[in-house]
Amino acid sequence: MTGHIPARVANTLPQHSGGAGSDVVLELGDLGPWRPRLVATDLDGTLLTSQGTVSERTRAAMDASWAAGVPVVGVTGRGPRLLDSVRTTLGGRGVAVLAQGGFVVDLDRDEVLRTVGLPRDEAQAVIEAIEGVTGELVLAVEDAATQSEALSPLRVQHGFEWPYPEPADLLPRDQVLPAGPVLKVFLRSETLGQDDLLRLARSVTDPSAAEVTHAGLGFIEVLPPGITKGSGLAVALERFGVPMSDVLVFGDMPNDLPMIHAVNDAGGRSVAVANAHPAVLAAATGRTGGHDADGVARYLEALA
């Protein structure tokens, strides 16, 4: 039996519940003479409040950055079906990196710069390999053939418990994978936490076959090989002609690590919000307040 959950929210991003540190305010002090030529930021859990909104203070800080000639690029795991809400969040300007780097769009020109899918048989092989070490998992899929449509339904297995108020088609397990490529596969375990699930999945997944990550939402994500926020950000930087060394990046979850590492390696600056995952707190070169305390905005203000 199949079912359908209709859309309830059209122009806001899904809410991200505030975690430990989300309302922490940090004294930033002197941030030194370095200044970015471009700001890249994760959205949920980093730039946005727990209600999935842009606060007035954050909006003002983003506008001030643009006015100073420093573009703000949003880098998110949200799929292209949520492009309208991402566009609204970013004020309709610049470049948006979606689907963990698999879908990149120039908002000013309404031009897609990158879209990458994982063929069905390759996705199936990765799922089977992961289940070989984790046991049976519950899955959902972003179908590459439909996800460019606003609020297009996800393909979700019965029992997945998709957490967001957006449309989803509930399907039996053998019908979840579409005939064509997928942008992303979500895998949830009934017994394993997301960190343990990710560790096991990576132990059996060759990076040449797929990327595996998680965004702190209780499940892991399987993506086409080479698709990360780091590679997606690189596409955005080409459009602006800015090197990675001149980027200031903000993040909170393991899916942000590829762009954090890329910026660090190039000599740029990475900042974790106070509510970030321990791996992100360890990797980032700086820290700011939580996402419910306008941490990104406070840091940008301190640089002004």
Side-chain angles (χ1 to χ4, degrees):
M1 178 182 293
T2 61
H4 181 72
I5 302 174
R8 289 182 282 155
V9 179
N11 289 314
T12 59
L13 285 175
Q15 295 186 12
H16 188 292
S17 59
S22 63
D23 58 356
V24 166
V25 176
L26 296 181
E27 293 297 328
L28 298 175
D30 183 5
L31 298 178
W34 182 88
R35 293 296 181 269
R37 290 176 56 199
L38 183 142
V39 174
T41 179
D42 171 55
L43 301 184
D44 298 299
T46 300
L47 183 77
L48 303 177
T49 68
S50 294
Q51 288 70 45
T53 60
V54 181
S55 72
E56 291 184 7
R57 184 170 187 172
T58 297
R59 177 66 69 195
M62 294 168 66
D63 289 344
S65 184
W66 277 101
V70 180
V72 180
V73 171
V75 188
T76 179
R78 301 297 108 220
R81 69 189 182 283
L82 294 172
L83 176 59
D84 286 347
S85 57
V86 174
R87 188 191 305 273
T88 298
T89 294
L90 298 177
R93 292 182 289 193
V95 174
V97 179
L98 291 87
Q100 311 292 16
F103 187 88
V104 183
V105 60
D106 185 321
L107 299 176
D108 296 307
R109 305 179 187 181
D110 199 25
E111 177 186 353
V112 176
L113 305 178
R114 179 197 227 184
T115 180
V116 183
L118 183 64
R120 185 191 192 282
D121 59 343
E122 296 178 19
Q124 182 64 54
V126 172
I127 294 169
E128 291 175 356
I130 293 173
E131 288 187 319
V133 294
T134 65
E136 185 174 351
L137 302 172
V138 187
L139 66 149
V141 169
E142 289 183 344
D143 184 349
T146 64
Q147 287 304 293
S148 61
E149 303 167 12
L151 292 174
S152 174
L154 292 172
R155 301 173 69 88
V156 179
Q157 181 181 349
H158 286 281
F160 189 88
E161 298 180 3
W162 186 250
Y164 296 145
E166 57 178 295
D169 285 332
L170 302 180
L171 302 163
R173 169 63 182 258
D174 62 358
Q175 296 179 25
V176 176
L177 281 177
V182 300
L183 282 178
K184 191 191 299 185
V185 175
F186 307 91
L187 298 173
R188 182 189 292 276
S189 172
E190 300 293 338
T191 58
L192 295 168
Q194 57 192 359
D195 285 330
D196 288 336
L197 182 56
L198 180 60
R199 176 180 54 81
L200 289 170
R202 284 180 170 167
S203 73
V204 295
T205 304
D206 190 320
S208 67
E211 292 284 343
V212 188
T213 190
H214 86 64
L217 299 170
F219 45 78
I220 64 171
E221 303 180 16
V222 177
L223 302 132
I227 296 303
T228 70
K229 286 192 175 186
S231 65
L233 175 57
V235 174
L237 296 183
E238 288 180 11
R239 179 51 55 103
F240 288 107
V242 174
M244 201 75 75
S245 58
D246 288 332
V247 173
L248 168 64
V249 63
F250 296 92
D252 75 315
M253 283 294 158
N255 60 322
D256 297 319
L257 287 171
M259 66 176 178
I260 287 172
H261 289 313
V263 169
N264 287 350
D265 291 346
R269 182 175 294 183
S270 60
V271 179
V273 289
N275 51 279
H277 187 280
V280 175
L281 292 172
T285 57
R287 192 173 300 187
T288 190
H291 71 119
D292 283 325
D294 296 313
V296 171
R298 292 174 186 271
Y299 200 97
L300 294 178
E301 291 165 1
L303 286 175

